[in-house]
């Protein structure tokens, strides 16, 4: 069924974006049968928000607002830059959002790529991968046991593992997804390249060691491709969507360009991919 493959990356690139807009579009996406809605993340990029940098509105706060106005569509970050976040505060935010959304939240994570953004907040860049892994391990332990490393009590504990999707095209990102039993989200890959990475990830997880991070074994491992459609050449865009599915994608998350006419393109695309 097409709705299980089709997802949307909501707009959050325009500084003057109406704060009600992301929730309006998420509600429409839910009505159109989109499986999930995602928001990007950049805390303080070195360039203006726009084509390169998304995340004008903080995604976890915005998704909590969207969760209150929707009931079925899954919600997630694509992707949250984990090493720019304080780990314990992030754990509290994620667990709370899981509870508020009725367990509809997926934590999309990345280790970041823009060194000036790390410098701006005084965060180390060279060890960002190590800190990402440590934070994900901490979240899993807090969610599984309800206790911190020093014996402190953590609540609210999720009823089950919070789904995680690791973003990135590198071998490091694939190994991270395999290690913690998570899903994977690509960006900027062709269908052929996506299929190659998907096969690499499958090889890492088939017949290998179990996930090292506690509490992840029952997570849904979902492979997601990302694409853009600006309203031109609909036939080519639909063909690209279907090519990702044939290459092994469980879902394709589409960004539909500027927020002003976003809903028209989102509606047109949903109708087109649902056709023969």
């Amino acid at each position: 069924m097409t709705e299980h493959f089709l997802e949307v990356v909501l707009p959050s690139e325009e500084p003057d974006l109406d704060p009600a807009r992301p929730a309006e579009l998420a509600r429409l996406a839910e009505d159109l049968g989109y499986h999930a809605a995602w928001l990007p993340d950049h805390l303080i990029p070195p360039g203006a928000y726009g084509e390169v940098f998304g995340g004008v509105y903080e995604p976890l706060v915005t998704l909590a607002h969207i969760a209150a106005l929707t009931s079925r569509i899954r919600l997630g970050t694509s992707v949250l830059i984990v090493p720019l976040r304080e780990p314990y505060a992030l754990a509290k935010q994620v667990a709370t959002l899981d509870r508020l959304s009725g367990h509809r939240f997926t934590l999309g994570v990345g280790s970041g790529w823009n060194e000036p953004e790390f410098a701006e907040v005084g965060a180390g860049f060279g060890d960002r991968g190590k800190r990402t892994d440590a934070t994900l391990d901490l979240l899993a332990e807090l969610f599984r046991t309800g206790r911190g490393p020093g014996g402190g009590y953590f609540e609210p504990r999720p009823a089950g593992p919070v789904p995680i999707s690791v973003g990135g095209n590198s071998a490091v990102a694939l190994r991270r997804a395999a290690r913690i039993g998570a899903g994977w989200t690509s960006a900027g890959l062709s269908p052929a390249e996506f299929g190659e990475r998907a096969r690499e990830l499958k090889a890492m997880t088939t017949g290998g060691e179990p996930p090292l991070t506690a509490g992840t074994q029952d997570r849904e491992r979902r492979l997601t491709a990302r694409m853009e459609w600006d309203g031109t050449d609909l036939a080519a865009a639909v063909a690209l969507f279907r090519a990702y599915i044939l290459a092994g994608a469980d879902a394709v998350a589409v960004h539909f360009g500027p927020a002003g006419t976003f809903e028209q393109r989102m509606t047109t695309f949903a109708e087109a991919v649902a056709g023969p």
Side-chain angles (χ1 to χ4, degrees):
M1 297 176 64
T2 303
E3 61 265 26
H4 295 303
F5 295 114
L6 183 57
E7 303 182 347
V8 60
V9 181
L10 297 171
S12 186
E13 299 83 26
E14 302 167 25
D16 59 352
L17 179 67
D18 185 333
R21 194 81 172 117
E24 291 173 355
L25 292 170
R27 292 178 68 180
L28 175 60
E30 184 173 74
D31 291 341
L32 291 170
Y34 280 75
H35 178 264
W38 304 86
L39 279 173
D41 174 50
H42 278 285
L43 284 179
I44 184 163
Y49 286 100
E51 186 175 343
V52 176
F53 298 107
V56 167
Y57 292 114
E58 200 287 322
L60 298 175
V61 173
T62 307
L63 289 172
H65 172 63
I66 292 173
L69 298 174
T70 56
S71 60
R72 301 182 308 277
I73 194 167
R74 289 201 63 83
L75 307 170
T77 51
S78 183
V79 291
L80 193 84
I81 306 173
V82 171
L84 293 183
R85 304 284 177 144
E86 198 286 318
Y88 289 90
L90 178 60
K92 193 78 166 182
Q93 291 170 315
V94 169
T96 299
L97 186 48
D98 173 75
R99 186 77 64 89
L100 291 176
S101 67
H103 314 297
R104 289 185 287 135
F105 176 61
T106 296
L107 177 62
V109 300
S111 59
W113 57 270
N114 190 273
E115 188 169 0
E117 187 169 13
F118 281 71
E120 184 73 30
V121 301
F125 187 74
D127 65 346
R128 67 193 188 282
K130 181 179 180 181
R131 289 188 289 113
T132 297
D133 289 335
T135 296
L136 295 178
D137 287 347
L138 174 66
L139 264 61
E141 186 67 13
L142 291 173
F143 296 169
R144 186 180 68 84
T145 68
R147 302 295 294 272
Y153 287 80
F154 178 85
E155 293 290 352
R157 286 177 60 193
V162 176
I164 289 179
S165 187
V166 175
N169 302 327
S170 67
V172 172
L174 293 180
R175 287 196 297 270
R176 180 171 292 123
R179 185 185 77 89
I180 66 174
W184 170 62
T185 301
S186 75
L189 296 181
S190 69
E193 293 168 332
F194 180 91
E196 180 180 353
R197 300 295 201 288
R199 288 189 291 274
E200 291 175 6
L201 178 57
K202 184 177 180 180
M204 293 177 186
T205 57
T206 301
E209 295 297 320
L212 297 180
T213 302
T216 62
Q217 289 85 344
D218 296 327
R219 282 195 183 127
E220 177 186 21
R221 180 175 280 121
R222 192 171 171 86
L223 308 185
T224 304
R226 278 189 57 166
M227 61 175 282
E228 308 276 334
W229 185 54
D230 62 1
T232 61
D233 201 344
L234 176 60
V238 172
L240 180 61
F241 170 87
R242 292 177 174 159
Y244 280 120
I245 301 302
L246 291 174
D250 298 304
V252 180
V254 187
H255 186 274
F256 294 105
T261 51
F262 196 96
E263 64 263 59
Q264 290 95 323
R265 291 184 293 277
M266 184 169 66
T267 300
T268 297
F269 195 81
E271 293 171 347
V273 301

